Amino acid sequence: MDKSAGFPLALALLVFAPLCFCQNNNGGKLYPQFYDHCCPKASEIVKSIVAKAVAQEARTAASLLRLHFHDCFVKGCDASILLDSSGKILSEKRSNPNRNSARKFEVLDEIKSAIEKECPNTVSCADILALAARDSTVLTGGPSWEVPLGRRDSLGASLSGSNNDIPAPNNTFQTILTKFKRQGLDIVDLVALSGSHTIGNARCTSFRQRLYNQSGNGQPDYTLDPSYAAQLRKGCPRSGGDQNLFFLDFVSPTKFDNSYFKNLLAYKGLLNSDQILVTSSAQSKELVQKYAENVELFFEQFAKSMVKMGNISPLTGSRGEIRKHCRRINKS
């Protein structure tokens, strides 16, 4: 009788014990199955809310993908970009690359809230960002990949890092490549990840100099197709209209494909940081040509490079924390 009475209790303990916490017992490495036992519905919740948000506004996909990129390039993939300013924390949202352009934080708030109800204090905001970036890519027609998980959230932000480490539209090719190399990424990753500009928008302020004064001599950028430039000038005047939005890929702006690379070969890249992939490096131009010709090759490399980027300096084990709210650390 004792054995039969004790068995269900032992089984129950075995089944429910893992639900209390997730442990990174894989030497601090990330792995896709991290939440399989402690929060098995996590991925499903992220996908559902991202799908709803993208259905409401197609631009959301690019915004979420960009947040993951801007997070990983500053202090690693630790959700530091999601923190609001408070106490000693100066939010990365105030940096030049993020101010007036980083967006859709409310989607991540909604995901976090839903996951906290399902499994409290378990899933990090950093992992939510990584999953949302993958789902955004898939929802717009791009490749899928297994997202390694097990990141923890930072206890601070770096406004200076956000200003200095994220590649800027007017950076030279060498500067951008150097910023990628600092993160352990190479020229192949640079070109493939730039392909995320197949979706999304950019503001007039981010490319105006190409239309009117590229080299400080009052002349437009000679590497910009004249007819495309004339079209852009209609909505991006010399002054005013700073926040006016333009598609990064005017051919298929909401579809994740390889049109972006075809546009570059036609000298119709919107940002200077896009077009220099063709004009400043023979190696990157060759990659652009390959991805323009073969969408499967681009998709395959994009997925690999996203996993690689998602592995930049993650907090694991006892480092960092699992934030209750993505906008603030738990102590505040």
Side-chain angles (χ1 to χ4, degrees):
M1 289 296 290
D2 288 341
K3 284 185 180 179
S4 61
F7 179 71
L9 177 60
L11 184 62
L13 288 172
L14 187 65
V15 171
F16 290 110
L19 295 177
C20 301
F21 58 92
C22 287
Q23 281 189 317
N24 199 321
N25 55 5
N26 198 29
K29 291 183 179 178
L30 309 178
Y31 55 101
Q33 300 80 22
F34 188 77
Y35 296 110
D36 280 7
H37 296 296
C38 56
C39 194
K41 291 185 179 177
S43 294
E44 183 185 318
I45 292 170
V46 176
K47 183 178 180 181
S48 161
I49 294 174
V50 170
K52 182 182 71 171
V54 171
Q56 289 171 347
E57 184 193 17
R59 186 183 166 205
T60 299
S63 299
L64 294 174
L65 188 53
R66 185 170 182 258
L67 282 180
H68 182 44
F69 175 77
H70 281 209
D71 178 44
C72 289
F73 265 65
V74 183
K75 302 195 321 90
C77 308
D78 60 2
S80 61
I81 193 173
L82 304 183
L83 289 170
D84 289 339
S85 293
S86 66
K88 295 180 180 178
I89 295 173
L90 295 176
S91 177
E92 293 169 19
K93 296 173 185 178
R94 296 165 52 181
S95 70
N96 291 328
N98 294 327
R99 190 173 59 247
N100 299 323
S101 64
R103 59 196 297 275
K104 289 301 168 182
F105 296 102
E106 70 277 7
V107 176
L108 298 159
D109 292 338
E110 185 180 348
I111 294 170
K112 182 61 174 171
S113 177
I115 288 182
E116 282 298 309
K117 286 177 185 172
E118 177 69 24
C119 35
N121 310 310
T122 303
V123 181
S124 69
C125 299
D127 279 344
I128 289 172
L129 259 181
L131 288 166
R134 188 271 311 274
D135 294 338
S136 294
T137 303
V138 174
L139 284 162
T140 47
S144 184
W145 59 91
E146 276 197 316
V147 179
L149 301 165
R151 301 168 189 81
R152 287 165 64 84
D153 299 323
S154 70
L155 297 170
S158 177
L159 180 59
S160 61
S162 190
N163 275 318
N164 297 322
D165 297 338
I166 297 172
N170 59 350
N171 282 163
T172 64
F173 177 82
Q174 197 54 52
T175 297
I176 294 172
L177 182 58
T178 298
K179 288 181 177 182
F180 268 73
K181 284 184 174 178
R182 276 193 212 133
Q183 308 295 348
L185 302 172
D186 58 25
I187 193 168
V188 176
D189 301 310
L190 164 58
V191 178
L193 292 173
S194 294
S196 63
H197 284 179
T198 180
I199 56 174
N201 305 70
R203 295 172 297 152
C204 170
T205 49
S206 60
F207 63 87
R208 176 184 277 127
Q209 86 286 348
R210 297 192 71 205
L211 303 178
Y212 303 103
N213 190 27
Q214 175 68 357
S215 304
N217 58 0
Q219 296 299 311
D221 186 349
Y222 72 93
T223 69
L224 185 62
D225 176 82
S227 61
Y228 182 47
Q231 191 178 343
L232 294 172
R233 278 193 287 267
K234 292 176 184 176
C236 186
R238 284 181 184 270
S239 62
D242 287 4
Q243 306 304 317
N244 290 353
L245 292 173
F246 295 78
F247 293 126
L248 287 160
D249 167 12
F250 68 93
V251 174
S252 52
T254 59
K255 183 172 171 52
F256 201 103
D257 56 21
N258 63 342
S259 293
Y260 164 82
F261 296 108
K262 295 175 182 177
N263 295 341
L264 297 188
L265 294 173
Y267 297 95
K268 294 179 180 180
L270 183 63
L271 304 179
N272 186 63
S273 54
D274 293 324
Q275 197 59 58
I276 57 177
L277 296 180
V278 165
T279 59
S280 296
S281 162
Q283 190 179 355
S284 67
K285 182 179 181 179
E286 185 181 347
L287 288 164
V288 168
Q289 289 171 327
K290 285 181 178 179
Y291 298 152
E293 292 166 6
N294 189 335
V295 70
E296 288 84 8
L297 182 66
F298 164 48
F299 279 13
E300 181 185 344
Q301 185 56 54
F302 184 80
K304 286 180 184 174
S305 294
M306 283 297 289
V307 170
K308 194 172 169 184
M309 185 186 80
N311 274 315
I312 298 173
S313 305
L315 298 174
T316 58
S318 60
R319 295 186 302 153
E321 66 179 12
I322 304 298
R323 282 186 219 140
K324 189 80 175 168
H325 301 280
C326 291
R327 294 174 181 263
R328 59 182 184 268
I329 60 175
N330 293 338
K331 292 175 185 175
S332 62

